[in-house]
Amino acid sequence: MAQQNDAADILSKFSTLNVNALEFVPSFSTQPAPAPEIIRNEEEARTPENNESEPLDSWDVEDDAILTPEDEEMDLDDGDVDGENLSKVSKKKPPKVEENKSKKEHVNVVFIGHVDAGKSTIGGQIMSLTGMVDKRTLEKYEREAREKSRESWYLSWALDTNQEERDKGKTVEVGRAYFETEKKHFTILDAPGHKSFVPNMIGGAAQADLAVLVISARKGEFETGFDRGGQTREHAMLAKTAGVKHLVVLVNKMDDPTVNWDVERYNECKDKILPYLKKLGFNPTKDLTFMPCSGITGQGIKEQIDESLCPWYRGPAFIPFIDELPSLNRKLDGPFIMPIVDKYKDMGTVVMGKVESGVAKKGQNLLVMPNRTQVSIDQLWSDDEEVTSVGPGENCKIKLKGIEEEDVSPGFVLCDASNPIKTGKIFDAQVVILEHKSIICAGYSAVMHIHCAAEEITVKALICLVDKKTGEKSKTRPRFVKQDQVAIMRIECSGLICLEQFKLFPQMGRFTLRDENKTIAIGKVLKVIE
């Protein structure tokens, strides 16, 4: 009975407060705009004329080789409802709070690729070159690495912080770090390359805007990574599925004695991997860039490569190049949505994740879905700096009041109390079978990775096949689907999950199916049934 009274009490407080997460809009716009060109680009990005030309999501581009165009895919009339609500809600004044938020555009960069390609070393080299790791710390790492006869690993220790990762030279968890340039704030997500840790890598890729595929130019190493069984192909495909907007391919270890900055070896690696990346839907003219570099010496990372070493490549170095990439299309005015990647206890419950849309402020009331738990924001950190508000694209930690740490799981979503995210157990989806030896029928089960959630699913029914070239749907129900086919199927999850139609909110509507440690299919949610 006491619990009921408490609940009623909280509800009454909640209703009298009448706090609505969409009220942030006026306060956001009354602030002096820190970077007008970014905001202008975002506005332009939202205009319908620009939608056709944008390579934001080549899932829906007609000439995409793997994925079929969905009929009336980009008909976004349903999205207008939010616009009406916004204009009504935004008239109320939110309580005045001293604004303290990150001024630069936030970009999340995930480093992916086969084990030992040099992802952590390049990450550590970036930290060193941008002054995020001081010289004394690096000298200490170098000394310790030399004692273990692992001299070449010391840079990776800036990101591989636990002992097991250092001893074996293998990243397990997604390492996190950040660095800043004059224009942008970059968060580095160092994904594990080993095939046993692909689920961790998917969690990292789900938070990324930009992916860096690291391939090793050393004789034999590139081939091992790219051949079947290597992780280069799977990682590139998972990054595409996770909705990464741009892929930079860093051809690392160009200083190796077997390569010695040889242009022929660079072109050989590039020519082998390019057809596969095109097949995934990356467009070489717009969202794909190749660069030679050396992680261990730092050539081609921050400064252009020395002409005496590499006269044939006079393009930009890696950091200046990603700094100049065009601004991303961020949903500033949408309802607040942040999928929870991780959580821990620290004088309260702290959740971590990347803000996908909207803005949240200190003291604001939110919901944790799918459990519908009402919480309020106690403290906010954007990449370890305490702030009073966070916006789209920021990797943040949020301390919540009103929920215990054990009641939160990765894959839950923190969202606006007045406009919560959809939850469902059964949905229809368009699925592309990438590689699977046997056929898939109704009753087949696998593990689905959608945003940060991993859930067991079962195929309830196959609805129709979709022709890859024309997008036409079959009139009869197929009895099974096999490799390289595209089908629309009804899927049932073992528990309730947060998801959204792909056309309304792509980040919450694309998923990957995995079975027996292999990625077997990618898909998008067409309709949530129940």
Side-chain angles (χ1 to χ4, degrees), residues 106-131:
H106 280 244
V107 180
N108 300 286
V109 185
V110 68
F111 282 84
I112 56 174
H114 190 65
V115 64
D116 280 347
K119 300 180 289 300
S120 301
T121 299
I122 289 176
Q125 185 66 265
I126 289 171
M127 304 292 291
S128 158
L129 292 170
T130 53

Side-chain angles (χ1 to χ4, degrees), residues 215-218 250-267 269 291-295 297 299 305 309-310 312:
I215 56 179
S216 165
R218 186 182 282 165
L250 280 184
V251 183
N252 189 23
K253 305 194 186 180
M254 289 295 293
D255 61 319
D256 190 81
T258 64
V259 184
N260 217 353
W261 297 97
D262 178 21
V263 64
E264 284 176 13
R265 177 63 174 164
Y266 172 77
N267 287 336
C269 295
M291 289 181 183
C293 77
S294 160
T297 63
Q299 289 279 356
I305 304 166
L309 279 175
C310 182
W312 47 268

Side-chain angles (χ1 to χ4, degrees), residues 27 83 100 113 220 229 262 279 293 332 384 410 418 425 450 472 484 493:
S27 84
N100 164 21
D262 178 21
K279 186 182 163 200
C293 77
L332 282 169
D384 301 336
S418 65
K425 210 173 170 177
I450 182 164
E472 278 179 30
D484 288 335
C493 305

Side-chain angles (χ1 to χ4, degrees), residues 187-208:
T187 302
I188 298 177
L189 301 157
D190 175 33
H194 200 276
K195 65 167 175 268
S196 313
F197 309 120
V198 169
N200 295 5
M201 178 264 159
I202 294 173
Q207 302 163 64

Side-chain angles (χ1 to χ4, degrees), residues 217-394:
R218 186 182 282 165
K219 279 269 186 291
E221 272 189 17
F222 167 73
E223 287 75 9
T224 313
F226 186 62
D227 292 346
R228 288 202 175 274
Q231 255 36 63
T232 305
R233 288 166 186 264
E234 185 174 21
H235 277 202
M237 187 260 310
L238 289 168
K240 184 67 191 164
T241 319
V244 161
K245 315 282 185 290
H246 198 107
L247 183 73
V248 178
V249 182
L250 280 184
V251 183
N252 189 23
K253 305 194 186 180
M254 289 295 293
D255 61 319
D256 190 81
T258 64
V259 184
N260 217 353
W261 297 97
D262 178 21
V263 64
E264 284 176 13
R265 177 63 174 164
Y266 172 77
N267 287 336
E268 182 189 348
C269 295
K270 182 176 169 178
D271 295 344
K272 275 189 184 167
I273 202 165
L274 192 60
Y276 182 72
L277 297 176
K278 277 186 185 165
K279 186 182 163 200
L280 289 179
F282 285 108
N283 181 338
T285 53
K286 286 190 277 192
D287 45 15
L288 187 58
T289 314
F290 283 84
M291 289 181 183
C293 77
S294 160
I296 200 85
T297 63
Q299 289 279 356
I301 304 284
K302 193 178 180 201
E303 306 284 331
Q304 202 180 30
I305 304 166
D306 202 326
E307 195 163 354
S308 59
L309 279 175
C310 182
W312 47 268
Y313 179 80
R314 302 318 302 142
F318 173 66
I319 295 175
F321 173 78
I322 59 174
D323 200 27
E324 290 300 326
L325 282 174
S327 257
L328 296 152
N329 179 17
R330 304 283 199 198
K331 285 192 174 176
L332 282 169
D333 52 358
F336 180 74
I337 292 173
M338 184 189 98
I340 295 169
V341 181
D342 208 350
K343 44 96 192 231
Y344 61 90
K345 218 180 192 138
D346 178 16
M347 319 268 288
T349 303
V350 181
V351 296
M352 294 160 68
K354 172 190 161 196
V355 181
E356 291 291 1
S357 110
V359 176
K361 299 192 169 175
K362 198 169 170 173
Q364 188 175 323
N365 287 346
L366 297 169
L367 277 184
V368 175
M369 297 294 277
N371 293 357
R372 302 196 78 84
T373 315
Q374 289 184 4
V375 292
S376 67
I377 296 177
D378 198 11
Q379 272 175 296
L380 288 163
W381 295 268
S382 174
D383 269 330
D384 301 336
E385 278 179 38
E386 194 164 344
V387 290
T388 54
S389 84
V390 289
E394 291 188 45

Side-chain angles (χ1 to χ4, degrees), residues 170-188:
K170 277 195 188 87
T171 306
V172 177
E173 297 291 330
V174 174
R176 275 164 190 280
Y178 61 92
F179 68 95
E180 290 196 342
T181 58
E182 280 175 26
K183 297 181 186 172
K184 295 178 184 173
H185 175 109
F186 291 95
T187 302
I188 298 177

